[in-house]
C-alpha cells in the first residue's frame, strides 16, 4: 500500500473554503485524503509519493444518489428482467406489446418474466388486467411493474402460482390493497408496496435466478454515471446478507445507507455492519401518499380532464387526504415508535396536502421527543407537487428535502397543461424554491424509476429543459454550484455523511469521479453529453467494475445454494 497523489487539469472540491485545486493526496490504506491543493502541498503532505498526472481529466467528489432502491432496482431492470420504461427505448405501448410478443415466442415455455416501467401516461396505456396480459402470456408467469413503483400488473398464471384460494387475493395489507373483480377474484393488479411484494415477488424470485448479480449490475450502472454513495430506501432485514456481500468486495463501487421500511415489524432494529464506512443503517422510511403517474397523490389540486389523463385511467381528484396511505393517528404512532430510537425519518410525499400533514406530524414528533433544533435532518422525498412556502416551513424545522428532477425531465411536458393547470404543472418539482428557502437539498433518480444520471439532473436544474428540450417554469432554474451541491455535499448532508464524503477535504474519504471536462465550461443544454464520466475512485481505490462483478460472482459461487445470499430478499413478506 502506498499513498497516491493525483494531478488533474482542475479539481472541483465542493469545499467553499478551498473550491479549486490542482492535486489531491490520499492514503489508499485508510482511503482518507491527506491534502488538497497544489502539487507541492500534496508532496509536502506525502513526501516521496509519485504524482499521477491525469492530464485533461477534471476531478470532483463522487456523486451521491441520496434516494435509490439498488436491490430491487437491479432485479427488475437488469437482465434477465426487461426495462420497458418510455425513456429506455419503449416510447409507446405498441413498442411494449411488440416486446411481449417477441419475448413470449423466444423464451422457454415455463420461464417466468419480469418487466419494469410500464407508464400509462407517457406510453398512453390503460391499466392491464390479468386477462389483458394473458393474451400475450397465456401460460408463463408474467409480472409487469408500473413505472411509478406503486403498482404491479400480473397474469392469471401468477394468480394461480400464488395459490390464492379461488383466485381471490388475501386481505389488504397495511398501506396497500389488491384490485378485485365484483366476484372478489383478483383482476391482476396490486397497489402500493406491501401488496405489490405479496403478489409479484414470488415470480420475481423465479424469474431472477441471480439476484445478487442483478443488484451488483445496478451498482455498476450507478458507478458508470459517477456515483460513489447511495441509499436503499426499501431496506428489509432479509437484505442484510446481500448488502454485506455487495459493499465489502475490494472493488465495491458504492457506499450504502439503509432506510428500513416502516411496514416491517422490526424496522427499528440496529444493523451491526461489518464495515460501517461502506454499509450502515441510517433511518426508517414510509410512503405517506402515492405517485403522480397513477393519480394517488394527496393534493389540493385536480388533474385536468384531458384525453391523456382519461386514457391512463387516472382519477381526476383532487386526491386530498383520501390518497394518504396512513391517517395522522397512524403517522403519529409510527413516529412515536421510531423517533425515540434516534432513527432519521424519511417520508415519501408528492402532494401538497400530503406534505402539510407530514410536516404537522414531524413537528409534533420533533417537539415531543425534544428533537426540534437538533441535528435530526429528517427527510421528505420527491415533493413533486409541493410548494415553496412548504419548503420554507420544512427548512425552519430542520427537515431536509430530496427532489427528483426525473419527474420533470420525462413528464414535464405532460405536467404543464395536460396533467395539471399550468400554474401547478409548469412549477412541478420546485428546486429553485427549495434553494431560495435555504434547503439542504439533494437530487435523486429513485432506483428503478429512472436511470441514475447525476449530470442530466444537473443539466436540467440549470436549464429547466425536459427531455424534448421544452422549458416550463424557468423561474425554477438554479446555479450550477447549487446543482452540483445537490449531487454531492447536499446529498451527503442528508445521509448524515457530510463529515466523510461529498467534498474533497483533508480527513474525508477519497471518493472521486473523473470527468472528461469541467462542467462549469460545458454548454448548459449539452452538459450531460459533453461531460463524460471516465471512472470513479472509492476510498482512494480506482474502481474496476468488471473485477467487481467477478468478485460478486465468486460470492454467489461460494454460497451453498446459488441464491443463498439473496434468497432472504426474495422471500420477503411485508
Ligand atoms: Zn423511492
Amino acid at each position: 500500500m502506498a499513498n497516491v497523489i493525483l494531478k488533474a487539469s482542475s479539481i472541483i472540491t465542493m469545499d467553499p473554503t478551498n473550491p479549486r485545486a490542482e492535486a489531491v493526496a490520499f492514503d489508499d490504506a485508510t482511503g482518507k485524503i491527506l491534502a488538497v491543493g497544489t502539487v507541492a502541498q500534496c508532496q509536502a503532505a506525502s513526501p516521496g509519493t509519485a504524482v499521477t498526472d491525469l492530464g485533461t481529466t477534471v476531478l470532483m467528489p463522487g456523486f451521491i444518489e441520496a434516494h435509490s432502491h439498488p436491490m430491487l432496482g437491479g432485479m427488475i431492470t437488469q437482465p434477465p428482467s426487461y426495462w420497458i420504461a418510455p425513456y429506455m427505448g419503449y416510447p409507446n405501448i405498441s413498442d411494449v406489446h411488440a416486446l411481449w410478443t417477441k419475448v413470449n415466442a423466444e423464451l422457454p415455455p415455463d420461464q417466468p418474466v419480469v418487466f419494469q416501467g410500464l407508464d400509462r401516461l407517457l406510453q398512453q396505456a390503460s391499466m392491464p388486467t390479468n386477462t389483458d396480459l394473458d393474451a400475450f402470456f397465456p401460460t408463463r408467469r408474467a409480472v409487469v411493474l408500473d413505472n411509478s413503483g406503486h403498482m404491479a400488473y400480473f397474469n392469471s398464471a401468477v394468480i394461480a402460482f400464488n395459490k390464492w384460494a379461488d383466485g381471490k387475493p388475501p386481505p389488504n395489507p397495511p398501506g396497500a390493497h389488491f384490485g378485485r373483480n365484483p366476484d372478489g377474484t383478483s383482476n391482476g393488479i396490486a397497489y402500493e408496496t406491501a401488496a405489490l411484494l405479496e403478489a409479484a415477488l414470488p415470480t420475481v424470485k423465479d424469474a431472477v435466478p441471480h439476484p445478487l448479480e442483478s443488484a451488483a449490475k445496478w451498482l455498476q450502472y450507478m458507478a458508470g454515471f459517477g456515483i460513489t454513495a447511495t441509499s436503499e430506501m426499501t431496506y428489509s432485514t432479509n437484505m442484510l446478507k446481500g448488502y454485506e456481500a455487495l459493499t465489502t468486495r475490494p472493488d465495491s463501487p458504492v457506499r450504502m445507507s439503509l432506510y428500513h421500511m416502516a411496514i416491517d415489524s422490526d424496522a427499528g432494529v440496529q444493523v451491526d455492519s461489518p464495515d460501517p464506512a461502506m454499509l450502515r443503517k441510517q433511518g426508517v422510511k414510509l410512503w405517506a401518499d402515492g405517485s403522480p403517474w397513477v393519480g394517488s397523490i394527496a393534493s389540493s389540486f385536480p388533474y385536468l380532464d384531458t384525453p391523456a389523463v382519461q386514457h391512463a385511467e387516472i382519477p381526476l381528484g383532487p386526491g386530498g387526504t383520501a390518497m394518504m396511505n396512513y391517517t395522522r393517528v397512524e403517522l403519529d404512532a409510527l413516529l412515536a415508535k421510531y423517533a425515540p430510537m434516534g432513527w432519521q425519518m424519511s417520508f415519501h410525499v408528492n402532494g401538497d396536502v400530503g406534505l402539510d400533514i407530514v410536516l404537522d406530524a414531524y413537528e409534533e414528533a420533533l417537539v415531543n421527543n425534544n428533537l426540534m433544533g437538533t441535528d435530526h435532518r429528517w427527510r421528505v422525498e420527491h415533493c413533486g407537487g409541493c410548494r415553496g412556502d412548504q419548503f420554507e416551513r420544512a427548512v425552519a424545522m430542520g427537515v431536509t428535502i430530496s427532489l427528483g428532477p426525473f419527474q420533470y425531465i420525462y413528464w414535464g411536458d405532460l405536467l404543464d397543461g395536460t396533467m395539471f393547470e399550468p400554474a401547478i404543472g409548469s412549477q412541478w418539482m420546485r428546486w429553485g424554491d427549495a434553494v431560495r428557502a435555504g434547503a439542504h437539498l439533494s437530487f435523486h433518480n429513485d432506483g428503478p424509476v429512472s436511470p441514475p444520471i447525476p449530470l442530466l439532473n444537473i443539466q436540467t436544474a440549470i436549464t429547466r429543459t425536459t427531455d424534448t428540450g421544452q422549458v416550463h417554469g424557468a423561474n425554477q432554474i438554479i446555479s450550477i454550484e447549487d446543482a452540483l451541491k445537490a449531487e454531492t455535499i447536499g446529498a451527503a448532508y442528508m445521509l448524515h455523511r457530510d463529515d466523510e464524503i461529498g467534498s474533497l477535504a483533508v480527513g474525508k474519504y477519497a471518493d472521486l469521479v473523473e470527468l472528461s471536462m469541467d462542467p462549469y465550461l460545458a454548454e448548459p443544454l449539452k452538459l450531460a453529453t459533453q461531460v463524460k464520466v471516465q471512472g470513479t475512485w472509492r476510498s482512494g481505490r480506482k474502481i474496476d467494475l468488471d473485477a467487481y462483478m467477478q468478485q460478486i460472482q465468486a460470492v454467489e459461487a461460494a454460497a451453498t445454494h446459488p441464491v443463498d445470499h439473496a434468497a432472504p430478499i426474495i422471500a420477503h413478506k411485508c
Side-chain angles (χ1 to χ4, degrees), residues 67-69 148-150 232-234 285 287 348 381-382 406 444-449:
H67 180 126
S68 189
H69 307 267
S148 64
H150 288 256
E232 169 57 80
M233 304 308 284
T234 23
K285 160 83 184 307
W287 290 259
H348 158 120
E381 318 288 330
H382 312 312
F406 70 93
H444 63 257
N445 284 90
D446 202 11
V449 177

Side-chain angles (χ1 to χ4, degrees), residues 102-126:
K102 178 172 176 289
V103 166
N104 193 55
E106 288 176 356
L107 289 185
D110 297 330
Q111 183 173 333
V113 285
V114 173
F115 300 90
Q116 156 63 14
L118 183 98
D119 191 280
R120 294 174 3 228
L121 268 165
L122 290 173
Q123 291 164 329
Q124 280 299 285
S126 53

Side-chain angles (χ1 to χ4, degrees), residues 543-556:
I543 295 297
D544 179 338
L545 293 173
D546 295 333
Y548 176 56
M549 186 51 74
Q550 288 157 13
Q551 291 153 13
I552 290 295
Q553 286 162 342
V555 170
E556 283 220 327

Side-chain angles (χ1 to χ4, degrees), residues 100 216 241 295 300 324 326 413:
W100 288 350
K241 269 179 76 179
S300 65
M324 290 293 287
Y326 298 87
D413 298 345

Side-chain angles (χ1 to χ4, degrees), residues 40-99:
Q41 287 167 326
C42 287
Q43 287 176 316
S46 185
T49 300
V51 175
T52 303
D53 190 339
L54 299 176
T56 58
T57 295
V58 169
L59 288 177
M60 275 192 67
F63 295 129
I64 300 172
E65 162 84 331
H67 180 126
S68 189
H69 307 267
M71 196 74 83
L72 203 60
M75 291 173 62
I76 62 177
T77 65
Q78 306 298 305
S81 297
Y82 299 86
W83 199 358
I84 60 169
Y87 31 82
M88 299 308 290
Y90 303 90
N92 303 301
I93 192 61
S94 55
D95 304 308
V96 174
H97 290 169
L99 175 71

